[in-house]
Amino acid sequence: MLNALKHTNVPILHLNGDHDISFPVENWYAMNGQFPTLNLITYPRAGHAAHFQYPELAASQIAAFIRNTQKA
């Protein structure tokens, strides 16, 4: 799976909190350089479900990602 993501042309959006203990943001930072289509958004003072802590911001960023993403 990880190898496939290194060669994908499918856009990937990952929303993450900087205090996520389930999937630490540091792991995603490491993958950011390996996955060519990864868009990483990190929310401050947020945990695992950052989109619940910042619902309006997350919704607008998801909408912008969809609107501005080229079709694969």
Side-chain angles (χ1 to χ4, degrees):
M1 170 86 165
L2 288 177
N3 196 42
L5 291 174
K6 291 179 182 181
H7 303 287
T8 187
N9 64 349
V10 176
I12 302 167
L13 176 64
H14 183 266
L15 307 175
N16 200 19
D18 65 350
H19 287 87
D20 185 345
I21 59 173
S22 299
F23 297 99
V25 70
E26 294 82 7
N27 294 346
W28 284 97
Y29 289 153
M31 288 186 234
N32 195 33
Q34 297 181 31
F35 299 167
T37 64
L38 178 62
N39 292 273
L40 182 60
I41 298 175
T42 304
Y43 296 99
R45 298 172 306 282
H48 180 63
H51 55 288
F52 289 120
Q53 292 174 265
Y54 294 91
E56 293 86 8
L57 181 57
S60 68
Q61 290 172 322
I62 292 167
F65 174 78
I66 293 168
R67 195 172 42 252
N68 297 317
T69 298
Q70 298 287 336
K71 299 279 189 236

